[in-house]
Amino acid sequence: MYKYNAFDEAFLAERNAQFRAQVERRIDGSLTEDEFKPLRLMNGVYLQLHAYMLRVAIPYGTLNSAQMRQLALLAEKWDKGYGHFTTRQNIQYNWPKLPDIPDMLDALGEVGLHAIQTSGNTIRNTTADHFAGAAADELTDPRPYAELIRQWSTDHPEFQFLGRKFKIGITGSPNDRAVVKAHDVGLRMVEKDGEIGFEVIVGGGLGRTPMVGKVIRDFLPQPDLLPYLESVLSVYNVLGRRDNKYKARIKITVQENGIDKIRELVEARFEERRHEFDGTDQALLAEIKTHFAAPQFRSGDTSAFDATYSADPVFRAWADTNLAAHRQADHAIVTVSIKAHGQTPGDASGGQMRVLADLAEEFGYDELRISHQQNVILPHVHKSDLPAVHARLKDHGLATANVGLISDIIACPGMDYCALATARSIPVAQEIATRFDDLKLEHDIGHLQIKISGCINACGHHHVAHIGILGLDRAGVENYQITLGGDATETAAIGKRTGPGFAYDEIVPAVERLVETYLAIRTSEEETFLETYRRLGMEPFKTALYPEAQKKVA
Amino acid sequence: MARAFTPKVITANDLLEGDVIYFTAEDTWTRELSEAELITDEAVAPLRLLDAEKQNIKIVGAYLADAQAGPNGPEPTHFREDFRRKGPSNYSHGKQEAFANV
Ligand code: HEM
Ligand code: SF4
């Protein structure tokens, strides 16, 4: 994994010292809040409903055990004993006190973590496929490119004051697990004539005007990545609107100007820019790649796995849902669900973080990942170690066998924490998970993604959920709109609204009616909810959701 | 037609702790909504907000929030202010934690 060099360390230490001084000056009254707010946001410090919030970047979702232990330390020393993993592969602390935050940042700096560019109109933390470097279907590890982007974009003078935030997502596999089509720029590794390059997608985004990104370049050779990205950003910097915050994201620039015009401008700019790159970036990339060399995978007999798999039904259920194919046939990728039924999606206690760190160290080549689905991944585990890993997870409430199932819900913090929220999302997620666990239906239902946002900003990705839930404030009462048919993969789609929303106490029964309908009309157990929706459309689900309206029509 | 004025309290977050605070009739800050000053005069509200903002050195983001008179002082009228008064619903953290400890 990437190791900071002396320059990176000095940069981070200086940044932290600067911020410490800024906090002191805010506290002693030399800075007003108006002056201080942009400074704290640049360092990941928000003010939420009940307290400050510190957002820590987990670059491309990759952590080692020492870093995970440090996250646990922060949770226990300066927060309320837990942290919240988010859809942007960050961790958020919900209860820090302002005078403590500089110490928290220093503690993060000790393990090479920081909160820079987790906020503001800059290039944000580049998110990556959480199976990067491990997946069987991967062409090449995307993380060196994500790191290259991070080094290039951090404090890049041209891109500190963009029209709006700018998010880049990258996947090294044609199967998109990083929702790259919902990013300002999405990079999908593809192969052409034996060469690996990028499909470049631009103008995706969620929020109040959700859009699936459009392909601007179907094949970009790897060495052209930075000059091409600079060209996209530079066109955006000139054309992007600054008169209206809601029209400032590149998705609107693309929509208003058309992808063809944007492509033309970007290609023209690219012709100029590429000559300014003298190969330094490629040398840097080569150096970065050495940090991401795959571990020396051990080989060995996997019969222990097979024996437990056939003997232990609990292990088998977990293995069936929570394991994914590793590029080494005798290894597996373990997704540890941070979604125990009834718990807050994405919350892990300090103790759980330490268990995960220990497991990574003992069984997982010291590697951990955070997924945008708010789960934790042990990317490389030899199959013979899986029974031991599972047993330890079970002891700490981490062995829930629900990855990809109805209770594996993404939920934003919503009105329980977020100052922008119009309704709660966490308790809705908790109740849906508990309800379907009680019904013992979830394995029968199969793959189904529910995602919940507490306002139109869509941090919970509800637009790309099979069943999306959006919490709104309707005349002072929480009200939940449902969308169906969203898709977060390479076949990305924005879900469609079913109709009027539901009150807080009606939303879980409404979801239950949707699922009952699906179970009744699917052609077989193999047909997923999304496939049924695609085959039959909205009507049968609408009938189930709004029986009264149907009666009136009849 | 202008909407009828509804009673207000002034609320903000504490600079150091970040938690929710309310402005009292004595120009001090309290952690209890019930101890806040309930402003019923539309003309007075913006002036009291200015008074509150004089203390910007130790508070963040003061604003006027709807409230109503209750038996023990002001009460929220909207669920957002109700959450701010108590804390999140997924854990017993925030102000409700302190209530539990008394
Ligand atoms: C203090 C809490 C938060 C604030 C103030 C906040 C603010 C926002 C805003 C204003 C937008 C809309 C941007 C636009 O449409 O231009 C947005 C989008 C988004 N946020 Fe958040 N957010 C918060 C928490 C989170 C959390 C916890 C996550 C991850 C779970 C997250 C991930 C995202 C994502 C994925 C989007 C949509 C993608 C896009 O940018 O188009 N945010 N956020
Ligand atoms: S979707 Fe809205 S409520 Fe949820 S975290 Fe984002 S800004 Fe807050």
Side-chain angles (χ1 to χ4, degrees):
Chain A
M1 91 177 286
Y2 185 69
K3 290 264 181 326
Y4 279 14
N5 57 31
F7 173 79
D8 298 329
E9 275 169 21
F11 172 80
L12 198 58
E14 190 188 321
R15 242 326 250 267
N16 285 346
Q18 257 174 16
F19 186 59
R20 181 178 292 277
Q22 289 159 353
V23 169
E24 278 163 14
R25 288 165 60 219
R26 173 67 179 110
I27 292 176
D28 73 18
S30 349
L31 285 178
T32 65
E33 184 61 20
D34 286 347
E35 289 162 333
F36 180 62
K37 188 175 173 185
L39 301 172
R40 69 167 157 79
L41 286 175
M42 277 170 67
N43 290 284
V45 182
Y46 287 74
L47 185 59
Q48 302 200 115
L49 288 180
H50 314 292
Y52 287 98
M53 180 269 276
L54 176 65
R55 179 183 285 171
V56 179
I58 299 175
Y60 29 89
T62 296
L63 287 173
N64 60 28
S65 61
Q67 291 172 323
M68 188 62 124
R69 287 197 186 98
Q70 200 75 343
L71 295 180
L73 176 94
L74 262 74
E76 286 168 353
K77 188 162 175 190
W78 291 292
D79 207 87
K80 292 190 188 287
Y82 76 100
H84 177 71
F85 291 108
T86 80
T87 48
R88 299 222 67 260
Q89 298 181 316
N90 296 314
I91 182 169
Q92 297 189 168
Y93 293 100
N94 284 325
W95 302 96
K97 300 193 173 25
L98 184 60
D100 291 338
I101 292 176
D103 291 341
M104 294 172 84
L105 292 174
D106 282 349
L108 290 167
E110 285 168 19
V111 292
L113 289 173
H114 62 72
I116 298 170
Q117 285 181 212
T118 58
S119 170
N121 295 334
T122 55
I123 301 174
R124 301 285 189 90
N125 181 25
T126 298
T127 48
D129 180 2
H130 42 270
F131 291 169
D137 59 8
E138 182 172 276
L139 295 170
T140 176
D141 190 342
R143 291 172 304 157
Y145 297 94
E147 176 59 31
L148 181 69
I149 292 170
R150 179 165 78 125
Q151 297 200 11
W152 155 80
S153 67
T154 300
D155 265 5
H156 191 305
E158 191 179 342
F159 308 130
Q160 289 306 299
F161 297 96
L162 294 169
R164 198 77 181 88
K165 57 172 93 164
F166 201 91
K167 300 178 179 175
I168 302 176
I170 183 165
T171 170
S173 151
N175 297 314
D176 179 13
R177 284 173 290 259
V179 211
V180 302
K181 286 190 171 167
H183 285 74
D184 297 281
V185 165
L187 298 167
R188 193 165 74 104
M189 218 82 91
V190 288
E191 198 169 346
K192 191 177 141 194
D193 306 328
E195 193 195 342
I196 293 168
F198 300 100
E199 178 187 69
V200 184
I201 297 153
V202 67
L206 302 172
R208 67 177 64 213
T209 8
M211 284 198 214
V212 172
K214 298 185 177 64
V215 176
I216 183 165
R217 180 70 108 85
D218 56 12
F219 190 84
L220 182 74
Q222 295 177 59
D224 292 337
L225 180 62
L226 290 189
Y228 196 83
L229 281 178
E230 272 201 27
S231 308
V232 171
L233 274 146
S234 131
V235 167
Y236 167 59
N237 231 349
V238 174
L239 277 190
R241 287 177 58 173
R242 287 168 190 265
D243 59 320
N244 179 342
K245 180 173 154 180
Y246 302 122
K247 303 213 183 278
R249 294 287 287 270
I250 195 172
K251 62 189 172 188
I252 306 291
T253 321
V254 171
Q255 186 197 35
E256 288 183 347
N257 293 277
I259 183 74
D260 295 327
K261 179 173 174 201
I262 300 287
R263 183 182 297 118
E264 223 173 87
L265 291 169
V266 168
E267 291 294 339
R269 191 66 52 89
F270 176 59
E271 273 315 308
E272 299 159 17
R273 288 259 165 150
R274 62 192 306 184
H275 304 296
E276 295 167 15
F277 281 74
D278 60 2
T280 315
D281 62 323
Q282 292 307 300
L284 178 61
L285 178 65
E287 203 271 325
I288 291 172
K289 278 186 176 169
T290 63
H291 298 288
F292 290 91
Q296 288 289 326
F297 292 118
R298 76 179 180 85
S299 57
D301 177 56
T302 59
S303 57
F305 170 80
D306 301 327
T308 313
Y309 188 85
S310 51
D312 177 356
V314 177
F315 178 77
R316 186 160 60 241
W318 176 80
D320 286 345
T321 49
N322 293 37
L323 300 183
H326 196 278
R327 55 189 237 218
Q328 296 289 115
D330 58 359
H331 280 63
I333 303 172
V334 177
T335 300
V336 179
S337 166
I338 312 294
K339 315 271 182 75
H341 300 104
Q343 298 300 308
T344 304
D347 278 8
S349 69
Q352 288 178 326
M353 291 182 215
R354 239 176 248 115
V355 169
L356 291 164
D358 291 348
L359 289 173
E361 201 171 26
E362 279 173 59
F363 302 108
Y365 307 89
D366 210 34
E367 283 198 35
L368 291 149
R369 304 287 164 71
I370 307 305
S371 77
H372 80 271
Q373 325 245 19
Q374 302 180 282
N375 287 318
V376 178
I377 317 284
L378 293 164
H380 320 289
V381 181
H382 191 273
K383 281 187 176 165
S384 64
D385 292 328
L386 288 169
V389 168
H390 178 251
R392 286 265 282 283
L393 290 172
K394 218 162 60 174
D395 289 344
H396 296 90
L398 289 167
T400 313
N402 65 347
V403 170
L405 303 183
I406 193 168
S407 61
D408 186 7
I409 299 172
I410 292 181
C412 81
M415 183 71 89
D416 288 306
Y417 298 91
C418 178
L420 305 177
T422 42
R424 284 173 294 169
S425 30
I426 291 169
V428 176
Q430 291 174 304
E431 282 172 35
I432 293 173
T434 310
R435 179 70 188 140
F436 284 92
D437 191 38
D438 290 346
L439 293 172
K440 293 291 163 234
L441 270 180
E442 98 173 316
H443 288 267
D444 190 23
I445 298 162
H447 184 50
L448 176 51
Q449 292 182 326
I450 297 185
K451 307 181 197 233
I452 312 175
S453 303
C455 81
I456 52 169
N457 287 326
C459 304
H461 286 195
H462 67 276
H463 297 297
V464 289
H466 304 163
I467 300 178
I469 300 176
L470 165 62
L472 295 169
D473 174 349
R474 285 277 176 267
V477 183
E478 288 167 299
N479 187 275
Y480 294 87
Q481 271 179 10
I482 295 181
T483 49
L484 296 179
D487 176 356
T489 70
E490 63 283 357
T491 46
I494 304 292
K496 290 203 173 59
R497 250 183 75 186
T498 55
F502 296 85
Y504 181 80
D505 54 2
E506 290 172 358
I507 182 66
V508 179
V511 171
E512 207 175 318
R513 291 205 292 285
L514 287 173
V515 173
E516 280 165 4
T517 305
Y518 153 66
L519 290 175
I521 61 179
R522 67 181 175 186
T523 51
S524 73
E525 282 182 22
E526 271 67 59
E527 190 180 68
T528 63
F529 180 91
L530 186 61
E531 287 162 354
T532 304
Y533 172 83
R534 285 187 173 156
R535 181 168 57 85
L536 294 173
M538 187 71 97
E539 274 326 299
F541 297 105
K542 257 188 149 155
T543 311
L545 283 179
Y546 309 104
E548 290 310 313
Q550 299 296 325
K551 261 187 244 150
K552 270 181 223 149
V553 176
Chain B
M1 201 188 82
R3 266 205 278 164
F5 181 76
T6 47
K8 304 269 190 286
V9 294
I10 292 169
T11 179
N13 289 76
D14 181 74
L15 174 67
L16 301 181
E17 302 275 319
D19 63 340
V20 175
I21 51 177
Y22 304 94
F23 200 48
T24 69
E26 291 76 44
D27 288 8
T28 59
W29 295 90
T30 170
R31 257 116 187 141
E32 302 292 331
L33 173 56
S34 58
E35 293 168 7
E37 174 187 17
L38 188 69
I39 305 165
T40 51
D41 184 340
E42 183 166 11
V44 169
L47 300 175
R48 290 299 288 154
L49 186 58
L50 286 177
D51 288 337
E53 285 173 342
K54 284 185 194 141
Q55 302 187 24
N56 268 347
I57 186 168
K58 49 182 191 186
I59 61 149
V60 186
Y63 65 94
L64 291 158
D66 281 329
Q68 63 193 13
N72 303 312
E75 289 175 0
T77 58
H78 188 278
F79 62 93
R80 184 177 195 268
E81 290 305 324
D82 198 21
F83 284 124
R84 286 184 78 242
R85 174 175 69 146
K86 288 195 294 227
S89 50
N90 61 331
Y91 301 112
S92 182
H93 288 157
K95 296 203 184 303
Q96 59 200 343
E97 199 173 13
F99 304 156
N101 292 339
V102 270

mmCIF file of all heavy atoms in Angstrom, chain A residues 123-145:
data_model
loop_
_atom_site.group_PDB
_atom_site.id
_atom_site.type_symbol
_atom_site.label_atom_id
_atom_site.label_comp_id
_atom_site.label_asym_id
_atom_site.label_seq_id
_atom_site.Cartn_x
_atom_site.Cartn_y
_atom_site.Cartn_z
ATOM 1 N N ILE A 123 -11.288 18.634 -5.902
ATOM 2 C CA ILE A 123 -11.361 17.240 -6.333
ATOM 3 C C ILE A 123 -11.337 16.387 -5.072
ATOM 4 O O ILE A 123 -10.373 16.394 -4.322
ATOM 5 C CB ILE A 123 -10.190 16.899 -7.264
ATOM 6 C CG1 ILE A 123 -10.240 17.826 -8.485
ATOM 7 C CG2 ILE A 123 -10.252 15.433 -7.668
ATOM 8 C CD1 ILE A 123 -9.063 17.694 -9.410
ATOM 9 N N ARG A 124 -12.425 15.664 -4.845
ATOM 10 C CA ARG A 124 -12.567 14.918 -3.600
ATOM 11 C C ARG A 124 -11.824 13.592 -3.675
ATOM 12 O O ARG A 124 -11.352 13.180 -4.726
ATOM 13 C CB ARG A 124 -14.049 14.673 -3.325
ATOM 14 C CG ARG A 124 -14.893 15.932 -3.217
ATOM 15 C CD ARG A 124 -14.657 16.641 -1.911
ATOM 16 N NE ARG A 124 -15.603 17.729 -1.718
ATOM 17 C CZ ARG A 124 -16.792 17.603 -1.125
ATOM 18 N NH1 ARG A 124 -17.197 16.429 -0.686
ATOM 19 N NH2 ARG A 124 -17.588 18.643 -0.972
ATOM 20 N N ASN A 125 -11.806 12.945 -2.515
ATOM 21 C CA ASN A 125 -11.243 11.606 -2.408
ATOM 22 C C ASN A 125 -11.701 10.728 -3.590
ATOM 23 O O ASN A 125 -12.883 10.559 -3.809
ATOM 24 C CB ASN A 125 -11.755 11.021 -1.077
ATOM 25 C CG ASN A 125 -11.242 9.636 -0.789
ATOM 26 O OD1 ASN A 125 -10.186 9.256 -1.289
ATOM 27 N ND2 ASN A 125 -11.970 8.889 0.008
ATOM 28 N N THR A 126 -10.746 10.208 -4.352
ATOM 29 C CA THR A 126 -11.092 9.334 -5.475
ATOM 30 C C THR A 126 -11.537 7.983 -4.932
ATOM 31 O O THR A 126 -10.813 7.343 -4.177
ATOM 32 C CB THR A 126 -9.875 9.150 -6.398
ATOM 33 O OG1 THR A 126 -9.527 10.419 -6.927
ATOM 34 C CG2 THR A 126 -10.177 8.200 -7.536
ATOM 35 N N THR A 127 -12.731 7.569 -5.309
ATOM 36 C CA THR A 127 -13.222 6.288 -4.812
ATOM 37 C C THR A 127 -12.912 5.192 -5.829
ATOM 38 O O THR A 127 -12.847 5.444 -7.031
ATOM 39 C CB THR A 127 -14.735 6.339 -4.537
ATOM 40 O OG1 THR A 127 -15.380 6.927 -5.665
ATOM 41 C CG2 THR A 127 -15.042 7.166 -3.319
ATOM 42 N N ALA A 128 -12.724 3.995 -5.316
ATOM 43 C CA ALA A 128 -12.331 2.892 -6.188
ATOM 44 C C ALA A 128 -13.114 1.638 -5.836
ATOM 45 O O ALA A 128 -13.674 1.525 -4.746
ATOM 46 C CB ALA A 128 -10.842 2.619 -6.038
ATOM 47 N N ASP A 129 -13.119 0.719 -6.760
ATOM 48 C CA ASP A 129 -13.669 -0.613 -6.526
ATOM 49 C C ASP A 129 -13.080 -1.158 -5.223
ATOM 50 O O ASP A 129 -11.862 -1.209 -5.059
ATOM 51 C CB ASP A 129 -13.249 -1.505 -7.711
ATOM 52 C CG ASP A 129 -13.779 -2.923 -7.576
ATOM 53 O OD1 ASP A 129 -14.492 -3.214 -6.597
ATOM 54 O OD2 ASP A 129 -13.457 -3.734 -8.472
ATOM 55 N N HIS A 130 -13.952 -1.575 -4.324
ATOM 56 C CA HIS A 130 -13.454 -2.068 -3.029
ATOM 57 C C HIS A 130 -12.823 -3.458 -3.142
ATOM 58 O O HIS A 130 -12.221 -3.928 -2.188
ATOM 59 C CB HIS A 130 -14.575 -2.066 -1.989
ATOM 60 C CG HIS A 130 -15.886 -2.555 -2.523
ATOM 61 N ND1 HIS A 130 -16.802 -1.701 -3.088
ATOM 62 C CD2 HIS A 130 -16.420 -3.782 -2.607
ATOM 63 C CE1 HIS A 130 -17.861 -2.404 -3.481
ATOM 64 N NE2 HIS A 130 -17.649 -3.662 -3.210
ATOM 65 N N PHE A 131 -12.988 -4.095 -4.285
ATOM 66 C CA PHE A 131 -12.311 -5.384 -4.494
ATOM 67 C C PHE A 131 -11.007 -5.195 -5.279
ATOM 68 O O PHE A 131 -10.414 -6.153 -5.760
ATOM 69 C CB PHE A 131 -13.214 -6.360 -5.255
ATOM 70 C CG PHE A 131 -14.419 -6.850 -4.472
ATOM 71 C CD1 PHE A 131 -15.427 -7.557 -5.118
ATOM 72 C CD2 PHE A 131 -14.532 -6.636 -3.108
ATOM 73 C CE1 PHE A 131 -16.546 -8.031 -4.418
ATOM 74 C CE2 PHE A 131 -15.645 -7.098 -2.398
ATOM 75 C CZ PHE A 131 -16.651 -7.797 -3.057
ATOM 76 N N ALA A 132 -10.571 -3.961 -5.415
ATOM 77 C CA ALA A 132 -9.372 -3.673 -6.216
ATOM 78 C C ALA A 132 -8.176 -4.504 -5.748
ATOM 79 O O ALA A 132 -7.944 -4.662 -4.559
ATOM 80 C CB ALA A 132 -9.042 -2.185 -6.119
ATOM 81 N N GLY A 133 -7.444 -5.010 -6.702
ATOM 82 C CA GLY A 133 -6.253 -5.779 -6.379
ATOM 83 C C GLY A 133 -6.549 -7.213 -5.974
ATOM 84 O O GLY A 133 -5.632 -7.981 -5.695
ATOM 85 N N ALA A 134 -7.828 -7.569 -5.916
ATOM 86 C CA ALA A 134 -8.181 -8.912 -5.468
ATOM 87 C C ALA A 134 -9.167 -9.611 -6.403
ATOM 88 O O ALA A 134 -9.147 -10.838 -6.511
ATOM 89 C CB ALA A 134 -8.791 -8.835 -4.062
ATOM 90 N N ALA A 135 -10.017 -8.832 -7.070
ATOM 91 C CA ALA A 135 -11.131 -9.433 -7.796
ATOM 92 C C ALA A 135 -10.678 -10.306 -8.963
ATOM 93 O O ALA A 135 -9.731 -9.977 -9.673
ATOM 94 C CB ALA A 135 -12.066 -8.339 -8.313
ATOM 95 N N ALA A 136 -11.390 -11.407 -9.137
ATOM 96 C CA ALA A 136 -11.068 -12.333 -10.224
ATOM 97 C C ALA A 136 -11.302 -11.690 -11.586
ATOM 98 O O ALA A 136 -10.638 -12.026 -12.568
ATOM 99 C CB ALA A 136 -11.921 -13.597 -10.080
ATOM 100 N N ASP A 137 -12.239 -10.749 -11.648
ATOM 101 C CA ASP A 137 -12.600 -10.178 -12.951
ATOM 102 C C ASP A 137 -11.832 -8.890 -13.271
ATOM 103 O O ASP A 137 -12.170 -8.171 -14.200
ATOM 104 C CB ASP A 137 -14.110 -9.906 -12.996
ATOM 105 C CG ASP A 137 -14.562 -8.946 -11.899
ATOM 106 O OD1 ASP A 137 -13.701 -8.377 -11.201
ATOM 107 O OD2 ASP A 137 -15.788 -8.774 -11.734
ATOM 108 N N GLU A 138 -10.796 -8.605 -12.489
ATOM 109 C CA GLU A 138 -10.115 -7.321 -12.664
ATOM 110 C C GLU A 138 -9.035 -7.381 -13.745
ATOM 111 O O GLU A 138 -8.292 -8.342 -13.847
ATOM 112 C CB GLU A 138 -9.472 -6.943 -11.325
ATOM 113 C CG GLU A 138 -8.767 -5.621 -11.319
ATOM 114 C CD GLU A 138 -8.337 -5.251 -9.901
ATOM 115 O OE1 GLU A 138 -9.164 -4.712 -9.171
ATOM 116 O OE2 GLU A 138 -7.184 -5.542 -9.545
ATOM 117 N N LEU A 139 -8.964 -6.310 -14.559
ATOM 118 C CA LEU A 139 -7.916 -6.241 -15.578
ATOM 119 C C LEU A 139 -6.612 -5.793 -14.939
ATOM 120 O O LEU A 139 -5.558 -6.366 -15.161
ATOM 121 C CB LEU A 139 -8.315 -5.263 -16.682
ATOM 122 C CG LEU A 139 -9.537 -5.664 -17.509
ATOM 123 C CD1 LEU A 139 -9.981 -4.528 -18.403
ATOM 124 C CD2 LEU A 139 -9.221 -6.915 -18.328
ATOM 125 N N THR A 140 -6.686 -4.744 -14.159
ATOM 126 C CA THR A 140 -5.514 -4.317 -13.419
ATOM 127 C C THR A 140 -5.945 -3.480 -12.218
ATOM 128 O O THR A 140 -7.031 -2.909 -12.209
ATOM 129 C CB THR A 140 -4.517 -3.550 -14.329
ATOM 130 O OG1 THR A 140 -3.441 -3.073 -13.536
ATOM 131 C CG2 THR A 140 -5.152 -2.370 -14.998
ATOM 132 N N ASP A 141 -5.109 -3.436 -11.197
ATOM 133 C CA ASP A 141 -5.434 -2.731 -9.958
ATOM 134 C C ASP A 141 -5.593 -1.230 -10.233
ATOM 135 O O ASP A 141 -4.657 -0.576 -10.693
ATOM 136 C CB ASP A 141 -4.297 -2.977 -8.955
ATOM 137 C CG ASP A 141 -4.636 -2.492 -7.556
ATOM 138 O OD1 ASP A 141 -5.572 -1.678 -7.410
ATOM 139 O OD2 ASP A 141 -3.954 -2.938 -6.607
ATOM 140 N N PRO A 142 -6.762 -0.665 -9.968
ATOM 141 C CA PRO A 142 -6.969 0.765 -10.260
ATOM 142 C C PRO A 142 -6.353 1.698 -9.221
ATOM 143 O O PRO A 142 -6.262 2.903 -9.455
ATOM 144 C CB PRO A 142 -8.499 0.902 -10.229
ATOM 145 C CG PRO A 142 -8.948 -0.149 -9.265
ATOM 146 C CD PRO A 142 -7.975 -1.304 -9.429
ATOM 147 N N ARG A 143 -5.915 1.171 -8.083
ATOM 148 C CA ARG A 143 -5.510 2.072 -7.002
ATOM 149 C C ARG A 143 -4.271 2.904 -7.283
ATOM 150 O O ARG A 143 -4.199 4.060 -6.857
ATOM 151 C CB ARG A 143 -5.370 1.286 -5.695
ATOM 152 C CG ARG A 143 -6.733 0.794 -5.178
ATOM 153 C CD ARG A 143 -6.577 -0.137 -4.020
ATOM 154 N NE ARG A 143 -5.719 -1.273 -4.384
ATOM 155 C CZ ARG A 143 -5.054 -2.009 -3.516
ATOM 156 N NH1 ARG A 143 -5.123 -1.746 -2.229
ATOM 157 N NH2 ARG A 143 -4.311 -3.025 -3.933
ATOM 158 N N PRO A 144 -3.278 2.368 -8.018
ATOM 159 C CA PRO A 144 -2.152 3.260 -8.337
ATOM 160 C C PRO A 144 -2.606 4.503 -9.105
ATOM 161 O O PRO A 144 -2.081 5.606 -8.881
ATOM 162 C CB PRO A 144 -1.238 2.381 -9.198
ATOM 163 C CG PRO A 144 -1.539 0.989 -8.753
ATOM 164 C CD PRO A 144 -3.006 0.983 -8.433
ATOM 165 N N TYR A 145 -3.611 4.344 -9.955
ATOM 166 C CA TYR A 145 -4.122 5.496 -10.698
ATOM 167 C C TYR A 145 -4.870 6.441 -9.764
ATOM 168 O O TYR A 145 -4.787 7.663 -9.885
ATOM 169 C CB TYR A 145 -5.035 5.025 -11.839
ATOM 170 C CG TYR A 145 -4.272 4.188 -12.833
ATOM 171 C CD1 TYR A 145 -4.246 2.804 -12.729
ATOM 172 C CD2 TYR A 145 -3.504 4.796 -13.828
ATOM 173 C CE1 TYR A 145 -3.495 2.033 -13.603
ATOM 174 C CE2 TYR A 145 -2.759 4.036 -14.706
ATOM 175 C CZ TYR A 145 -2.756 2.654 -14.588
ATOM 176 O OH TYR A 145 -2.005 1.904 -15.449
#
